[in-house]
Amino acid sequence: MRKLYFSRNSFAKGARIVRDGHNQSHYLLVGRWGRRQDALSLYAIHGELLAEIKQTSLGLLPKFDLYYNRQNVGSISKTLGFWHEMIFVRKLRWIIMGSLNSESYRIYHGTELVMTMRPVVTSNGEAFELAITDENTEPLCICIAAILDHWQKPTNREQSRLPKSGYNVTFGESNYTLHPHAKLPLPK
């Protein structure tokens, strides 16, 4: 069972590199959320497209289609739940069970464990640890983990305020600080 890690930040902020426990890069996840037909694409670190998530509907219960090797292999949609979530991944027949409070999830195919997902703190900051039982399912598991990260309750995440000296902007794994310029007087 290999363990992979990716940062917890919203995927709308840029690319995410998925690493193993030895900090070796294996996958790159790029794309954005929020609009119909938006997508996240998962690439092998050498550039081959492995899997995609395409958002097919918006609203309170958005739906996403999963693609593996350019083939539609399943779909997932948010369900209404209170403290414990149970989500079904159609076509794959995977069941996702988890808790919004602990932000930990387990994915099963029947009684067989496919993946576990839990929040951890790494040298790169807050991340999710994915323990995946079969290396062939890693691309799909990473895509599902990205969806689960996207659905986390905002109250579960730390709310940070902008510093008074500038504006923090995050692009993928690099942070930049923008400083406002003084306004120039208008010509008379």
Side-chain angles (χ1 to χ4, degrees), residues 101-158:
N101 287 336
S102 66
E103 298 179 329
S104 298
Y105 294 91
R106 292 181 172 276
I107 299 177
Y108 293 95
H109 183 279
T111 59
E112 183 181 321
L113 181 66
V114 176
M115 178 186 84
T116 62
M117 176 178 165
R118 68 185 184 102
V120 295
V121 177
T122 66
S123 60
N124 294 331
E126 290 187 12
F128 278 108
E129 176 186 81
L130 310 178
I132 303 170
T133 57
D134 183 4
E135 204 169 307
N136 293 326
T137 62
E138 284 180 355
L140 289 174
C141 289
I142 293 167
C143 288
I144 290 172
I147 293 170
L148 294 173
D149 177 43
H150 177 65
W151 285 342
Q152 291 298 322
K153 291 175 77 174
T155 56
N156 287 354
R157 296 187 180 198
E158 264 185 41

Side-chain angles (χ1 to χ4, degrees), residues 14-33:
R16 297 290 181 251
I17 297 173
V18 181
R19 295 182 165 94
D20 64 12
H22 303 290
N23 212 20
Q24 297 289 321
S25 301
H26 290 276
Y27 302 102
L28 179 66
L29 189 60
V30 297
R32 65 181 187 162
W33 300 112

